[in-house]
Amino acid sequence: MSLIRPTRRDLLRLASVAPAFAMPAAARAMLGAPTDGNPAHFSFTLGQAKITIVSDGYFTLPFGGQAMNAPEEEKLAFMAEHYIDPEVGYSHTNHMYIELGDAKVLVDVGSGTRWFDTTGRLMENLEAAGIDPYGITHVAITHAHPDHIWGIRDDFDEPIIPDAEYVMGQAEHTHWLQDGLVDRVAPEDQQFVLGAVNSINAEGLEWTLASNDHEIAPGIRMIDTPGHTPGHMSVAVESDGQQLIALGDCMTHAILNFAHPEWYSGRDSDGAQVGVTRNRLLDMAATDRIAVLGYHFPFPGVGHVRRDGDAYQFVPALWQF
């Protein structure tokens, strides 16, 4: 008798439709969603830069893929103490839009219509925030996973923001476009390779390929943060001595990744490198008082890093009206 192994697509589909009552009430410990929605953008200033965080929506995945290398009892105890649901992870999608000088830079483009029904809201949320998507001068891609790049093209396979300069790390570009990659990954991962290749090769796109410290525009640069993917990069903004780093997915959880930077997830390509990258970033952010934006942190995902013994803690920034 053969066993049928569920694909990642099957797991994602199950996660997206799993009813709340399937989880123990004590484990959920979550507040309910409002009946009429919440604002999907948040603006603030960083020196001379005006920054707006805009949501592409949210999605849920089985939480079992987090902290793969953690002792199970220690992980479960930590999660219970911090009100983290052990069954389902709820991921926000926080995009950074930067206006600094003449540059109008968007970090990542979301998943468009190719991921979950609860994502793909970036363009409408940009417009709701008073941002003209067609006025964007640069699009910076942290990495080529579905929720960060699959929204790069419209239903006619043309760039969704046609006049922008598109920037991606050279190492990330090389990784996804290497010959035969789709045949070397597990069957359940082939859709991710094909999706990345189709997105990168969308008709009409011309890429600027970046290395560490690549300047997108004055005050805005890309820095190497590998581990989640081989060529993952983050986006750093600096103005009037103030700094902020859009982390992309080098850190994906606002509690776990700070308390245990060494705990990696099943979606990280190199777990050991993830720990090295996180510890370097966290030490730098805490020492130099650099603000951070977590793509999957609770919206709007902006805050600070403080030392907590041998580990760290995320301190959400004050929401100012």
Side-chain angles (χ1 to χ4, degrees):
M1 174 178 170
S2 63
L3 296 177
I4 299 175
R5 180 184 179 187
T7 66
R8 184 173 297 188
R9 178 179 295 171
D10 294 329
L11 292 174
L12 298 181
R13 186 181 298 113
L14 286 171
S16 66
V17 301
F21 56 75
M23 295 172 282
R28 293 200 306 273
M30 293 175 64
L31 304 178
T35 57
D36 53 357
N38 269 319
H41 61 272
F42 167 70
S43 296
F44 58 97
T45 58
L46 185 86
Q48 298 300 310
K50 177 182 177 182
I51 295 179
T52 304
I53 308 303
V54 185
S55 174
D56 188 48
Y58 70 94
F59 60 89
T60 59
L61 288 173
F63 199 88
Q66 287 280 1
M68 299 283 289
N69 58 325
E72 189 68 12
E73 289 187 3
E74 181 180 351
K75 176 174 75 172
L76 291 176
F78 181 91
M79 292 169 68
E81 180 183 356
H82 291 85
Y83 295 91
I84 302 173
D85 190 325
E87 301 292 335
V88 177
Y90 187 105
S91 291
H92 291 254
T93 55
N94 306 320
H95 293 257
M96 182 165 69
Y97 172 74
I98 311 152
E99 297 175 81
L100 182 57
D102 294 329
K104 298 178 179 179
V105 181
L106 177 67
V107 180
D108 291 330
V109 288
S111 54
T113 59
R114 299 173 175 88
W115 189 233
F116 287 99
D117 291 341
T118 53
T119 57
R121 303 173 182 177
L122 179 61
M123 296 297 282
E124 63 186 81
N125 286 337
L126 283 168
E127 294 178 358
I131 297 167
D132 177 10
Y134 300 103
I136 292 169
T137 60
H138 302 76
V139 173
I141 301 295
T142 60
H143 65 296
H145 277 170
D147 48 326
H148 297 260
I149 197 174
W150 282 12
I152 204 167
R153 53 199 174 102
D154 60 22
D155 292 338
F156 300 98
D157 290 334
E158 297 177 348
I160 198 81
I161 304 172
D163 298 327
E165 176 185 343
Y166 285 81
V167 188
M168 171 187 282
Q170 172 76 70
E172 186 74 3
H173 187 273
T174 299
H175 168 72
W176 293 104
L177 295 188
Q178 61 183 292
D179 290 340
L181 178 62
V182 71
D183 298 318
R184 297 197 300 274
V185 301
E188 61 269 24
D189 290 331
Q190 290 178 344
Q191 60 176 320
F192 293 89
V193 176
L194 293 174
V197 171
N198 290 338
S199 298
I200 293 170
N201 287 334
E203 186 175 350
L205 276 181
E206 294 185 8
W207 288 97
T208 296
L209 299 180
S211 56
N212 189 47
D213 276 336
H214 172 85
E215 185 180 76
I216 298 172
I220 308 170
R221 60 192 175 93
M222 297 187 76
I223 59 174
D224 287 339
T225 49
H228 182 66
T229 61
H232 188 287
M233 299 190 80
S234 299
V235 177
V237 184
E238 182 171 3
S239 178
D240 291 348
Q242 299 181 52
Q243 299 179 72
L244 182 148
I245 298 174
L247 300 170
D249 276 5
C250 66
M251 299 185 71
T252 57
H253 200 281
I255 300 174
L256 277 175
N257 297 165
F258 287 77
H260 290 281
E262 76 282 6
W263 287 358
Y264 58 81
S265 85
R267 291 178 289 279
D268 293 324
S269 67
D270 185 336
Q273 181 61 58
V274 163
V276 171
T277 292
R278 287 177 182 166
N279 277 295
R280 172 174 57 85
L281 277 176
L282 290 166
D283 176 68
M284 179 174 65
T287 299
D288 297 338
R289 302 183 73 82
I290 300 171
V292 296
L293 164 67
Y295 184 72
H296 293 302
F297 293 4
F299 183 83
V302 181
H304 310 279
V305 180
R306 68 174 293 271
R307 298 185 192 279
D308 186 14
D310 294 332
Y312 301 88
Q313 184 181 37
F314 178 68
V315 182
L318 175 65
W319 182 305
Q320 299 184 56
F321 293 95

